[in-house]
Amino acid sequence: MKYESLVRAILNEIGSEHNIASVTHCMTRLRFTLKDDSKANIDHVKNIAGVVGCVNKGGQFQIVIGTHVADVYNDLVQIAHIQNENTTKKKFEASQIFDLIAGIFMPIVGALAGAGMVKAILAVCVAASWITTESQTYTLLYMISDIVFYYLPLFLAFSAAKKFKVNPYVALIFAGMLVHPTFSGLRTAGEAVYFLGMPVKMATYTSSVIPIILIVAFQALVEKLVKKWTPDAIKIFFVPMMTILIVAPVGLIVLGPLGSILGGYLSTFFTFLDQKISWVVPTLVGGLAPLLVMTGMHYSLGAAQSVQRATVGYATILAPGMIASNMAQAAATFAVSIKTKNKELKTLASSCAATAICGITEPALYGVNMKLKRPLYATMLAGGCAGLYAGITGVKAWSAGTSNIFALPIYIGPDNSFMNACITVAIALILGFVFSYLFYKEPQTTENLIASSDNSPAKSLNKKLVIHSPAAGQLIPLEQVKDDTFASGALGQGCALIPESGEFGSPVKGKVAMLFETKHAIGLIAEDGTEVLIHIGLDTVKLNGEHFTAKVKTGDAVEVGTPLVQVDLKAVRDAGYDLVTPVLITNSAEVLDVVENSREHVEAGDEILTVIR
């Protein structure tokens, strides 16, 4: 634990963990409710290294830590074994899964997009008869471009390990076991495989996504527990050894096959639908293809389609719906590149759209659409509509091929499939573009779409940044705030505002670094790296968000004046709270000076501080 010594020093001076009735934290402070205040020594607490200040007021023993208070609080809860009933439980949302997968994919988007473009170029060259698929040049280039897709579990393992904060090299072992030649050989042999008497499902994991993410997530749980109970002297080998011995069997027997098992049921279900109501299958595949690709279930449908082709001579289970989805994805991504004003996103989206139209949709799916969500919804809606047309008109793939615009000749046969396949593609492209263009809103965290090894803002000297007033009201010097922590400048230089309006807007252009759960405090980072803290009222954390309405969330990009929080000032005042609002530059030590405005009254948007770098 990073702050273990600090936490133990605090506990020692407040009468130990047994003297804690409850504890929570706000933007900068640990807030204790103690069973016996007389056991706590304020002067000793103030002298602890890492403590900015200490005050006992309003029935709470408050220890000022700073903006890293959440990390200190997490260590405190573990060390003191505190079960805090006030801890807010975040509601699970399906979008969190998309966010997690997109976050894991961010570092490898460049590799996916680059390799996808090489594949796209090869497809064009083959379609134009400039190169044949039998040539060694094609074979070598295809091999090189296919590495990131074929060995995708390896790339994802390393990225997921970083996300889950576990040993990335151990995670690579689990990815390697899924694609190891020995495992592939056992699968090809077709014989039953057992581990300690338990059956191992011999699934195909190349190019899969969900299995390795599930395995690394499980690794995080195991690794944490093993570390906790392992002596330091043997951790270097014992923790990896036990993690491998526990996670590998569970991964092979349970977590890995999960997607394959679901895929098997899905294949049976789709085959049944294709036999009974054939138009439904292309509709479902067209709409759900992105999700099928994420889970690797499209391999199961591909196997079912191979059986269908061998039996009746054509394919309808996967190909018509997949080409509808791929073209919709290409068009939806292209719409993003047209509509966005962000140069980095425009470049990424345009290149991903080019690879998607050639059938390589992973860069578009993971690099753009899943992250932004709305283009993904547009893709699924447009793909479903185009798939519905393909199903109603009975589009059939009369030969094997990939699902890209250059593979349309595989639909040439004794019926009208080719013409209807062309119309299907046109529907997907038009609707994908239109839906995405209409649904899309400029993301407020666009800069995060491109992974960067150094996201720290450039620091420059002798430059000025104007801090604008978040609301109309009366300006007072910081030292007049009736709170020693703010008044002393311990949390940073700045000023304070007695607001007259409940509409609080952004004082800078930048992004929201943190919005506290009770919405009474918000931290922002300006484009030049200046950190601004707006703390609405004193001790208003006790209201638990009542009378506060957030207009933004953590990570959102903001302009000057962008609404942040709406507050019912009268209700807060009637509840007995001081509405004085400190506006602080929390990284004041990194700037040359913070100059206050001499005016006594300001309107929202007026200059109140000038930060000099």
Side-chain angles (χ1 to χ4, degrees):
M1 298 181 189
K2 187 176 181 181
Y3 299 102
E4 180 177 359
S5 60
L6 171 60
V7 168
R8 295 194 182 282
I10 291 173
L11 291 174
N12 187 55
E13 298 299 341
I14 65 172
S16 81
E17 60 267 29
H18 303 297
N19 193 34
I20 301 173
S22 66
V23 60
T24 183
H25 72 90
C26 60
M27 202 76 172
T28 58
R29 309 178 184 197
L30 292 172
R31 293 172 173 265
F32 294 90
T33 300
L34 301 178
K35 297 175 182 178
D36 185 354
D37 285 355
S38 64
K39 293 183 179 181
N41 191 318
I42 290 182
D43 292 333
H44 287 185
V45 173
K46 286 181 179 179
N47 291 327
I48 296 174
V51 172
V52 179
C54 182
V55 60
N56 192 0
K57 60 181 292 188
Q60 287 187 331
F61 192 85
Q62 304 173 19
I63 301 177
V64 184
I65 300 297
T67 52
H68 58 290
V69 65
D71 296 327
V72 178
Y73 172 82
N74 290 335
D75 284 0
L76 170 67
V77 168
Q78 294 184 54
I79 292 172
H81 305 291
I82 294 171
Q83 298 294 329
N84 194 346
E85 296 179 358
N86 294 325
T87 301
T88 302
K89 294 183 179 180
K90 294 184 178 180
K91 182 180 179 182
F92 174 79
E93 297 178 359
S95 61
Q96 293 174 3
I97 298 177
F98 288 163
D99 290 335
L100 174 65
I101 296 175
I104 291 172
F105 264 89
M106 284 303 99
I108 64 172
V109 165
L112 284 170
M117 284 301 297
V118 174
K119 276 194 172 186
I121 292 171
L122 281 176
V124 172
C125 291
V126 170
S129 299
W130 297 335
I131 192 173
T132 65
T133 56
E134 289 78 22
S135 70
Q136 294 179 345
T137 300
Y138 175 89
T139 300
L140 290 174
L141 281 177
Y142 188 87
M143 176 196 71
I144 294 168
S145 64
D146 195 50
I147 287 173
V148 68
F149 299 99
Y150 187 88
Y151 292 108
L152 191 57
L154 289 166
F155 292 84
L156 292 178
F158 195 87
S159 183
K162 296 291 186 181
K163 191 79 171 178
F164 291 114
K165 298 179 180 178
V166 295
N167 190 323
Y169 301 101
V170 174
L172 285 171
I173 293 176
F174 303 132
M177 75 180 181
L178 298 180
V179 296
H180 195 279
T182 299
F183 187 84
S184 300
L186 289 172
R187 185 184 67 249
T188 304
E191 298 179 0
V193 176
Y194 295 88
F195 180 85
L196 297 178
M198 292 177 286
V200 177
K201 184 174 178 60
M202 306 309 293
T204 300
Y205 296 116
T206 54
S207 303
S208 64
V209 174
I210 301 299
I212 188 58
I213 293 178
L214 290 176
I215 291 172
V216 176
F218 182 62
Q219 175 194 348
L221 296 175
V222 173
E223 195 172 286
K224 181 179 179 180
L225 290 174
V226 176
K227 278 183 178 179
K228 182 178 181 180
W229 300 106
T230 303
D232 292 339
I234 61 172
K235 275 185 178 178
I236 190 170
F237 72 89
F238 190 79
V239 172
M241 179 187 74
M242 291 304 300
T243 303
I244 293 169
L245 289 176
I246 296 171
V247 175
V250 175
L252 287 173
I253 297 169
V254 181
L255 300 177
L258 184 60
S260 178
I261 293 171
L262 292 175
Y265 288 124
L266 190 69
S267 175
T268 302
F269 173 68
F270 273 60
T271 302
F272 171 79
L273 290 180
D274 187 65
Q275 293 173 350
K276 302 299 181 182
I277 37 178
S278 58
W279 59 268
V280 173
V281 176
T283 304
L284 292 177
V285 173
L288 301 178
L291 306 183
L292 299 177
V293 171
M294 277 193 287
T295 58
M297 291 181 184
H298 60 302
Y299 288 116
S300 298
L301 294 184
Q305 181 173 264
S306 298
V307 174
Q308 181 193 36
R309 181 180 287 111
T311 304
V312 297
Y314 58 80
T316 61
I317 293 178
L318 184 65
M322 189 62 74
I323 195 171
S325 177
N326 288 357
M327 297 306 100
Q329 186 129 227
T333 311
F334 182 66
V336 172
S337 72
I338 295 296
K339 194 171 182 180
T340 184
K341 296 179 181 179
N342 182 277
K343 293 181 179 178
E344 291 180 335
L345 178 58
K346 187 181 290 290
T347 300
L348 176 64
S350 58
S351 62
C352 289
T355 62
I357 206 166
C358 295
I360 300 94
T361 58
E362 285 87 351
L365 175 60
Y366 299 117
V368 179
N369 295 345
M370 188 184 297
K371 181 69 177 179
L372 301 178
K373 295 184 180 65
R374 289 173 180 261
L376 177 61
Y377 304 150
T379 294
M380 297 173 71
L381 180 57
C385 292
L388 176 61
Y389 176 85
I392 292 174
T393 56
V395 172
K396 300 177 181 65
W398 291 95
S399 60
T402 55
S403 298
N404 62 63
I405 201 166
F406 302 109
L408 281 172
I410 69 173
Y411 295 93
I412 297 176
D415 58 2
N416 293 325
S417 288
F418 177 71
M419 181 60 66
N420 288 323
C422 292
I423 296 174
T424 297
V425 168
I427 293 172
L429 290 172
I430 294 171
L431 293 184
F433 183 90
V434 171
F435 290 157
S436 181
Y437 195 88
L438 292 176
F439 296 166
Y440 175 74
K441 291 184 179 180
E442 188 76 339
Q444 297 178 335
T445 55
T446 299
E447 69 276 9
N448 293 329
L449 284 169
I450 308 298
S452 173
S453 60
D454 182 11
N455 292 322
S456 58
K459 297 182 179 179
S460 56
L461 296 175
N462 302 321
K463 290 188 177 182
K464 297 180 180 180
L465 173 69
V466 173
I467 308 298
H468 301 266
S469 180
Q474 180 184 351
L475 277 183
I476 62 172
L478 200 57
E479 55 267 23
Q480 292 184 17
V481 175
K482 298 175 182 178
D483 184 297
D484 292 340
T485 303
F486 292 121
S488 66
L491 295 179
Q493 301 178 56
C495 62
L497 176 73
I498 302 175
E500 298 172 353
S501 167
E503 300 285 344
F504 288 81
S506 176
V508 294
K509 180 181 180 181
K511 68 178 180 180
V512 178
M514 180 179 181
L515 174 66
F516 197 66
E517 293 174 352
T518 53
K519 310 175 192 68
H520 75 289
I522 186 167
L524 303 111
I525 299 180
E527 288 184 317
D528 68 345
T530 301
E531 300 172 3
V532 183
L533 171 65
I534 304 172
H535 196 287
I536 305 172
L538 302 181
D539 287 325
T540 45
V541 65
K542 297 178 182 178
L543 290 171
N544 291 319
E546 188 177 359
H547 312 309
F548 291 78
T549 303
K551 301 295 184 180
V552 292
K553 61 182 182 299
T554 300
D556 281 358
V558 292
E559 302 285 338
V560 173
T562 298
L564 300 176
V565 179
Q566 183 176 2
V567 185
D568 187 338
L569 298 183
K570 184 178 183 303
V572 175
R573 191 180 293 111
D574 291 345
Y577 292 91
D578 189 341
L579 281 166
V580 65
T581 299
V583 181
L584 308 175
I585 308 303
T586 55
N587 60 340
S588 299
E590 299 177 13
V591 303
L592 294 178
D593 200 0
V594 179
V595 181
E596 301 176 34
N597 193 319
S598 60
R599 295 171 59 182
E600 294 184 357
H601 187 275
V602 292
E603 299 294 331
D606 286 351
E607 177 181 336
I608 57 172
L609 297 170
T610 301
V611 179
I612 302 175
R613 284 183 169 271

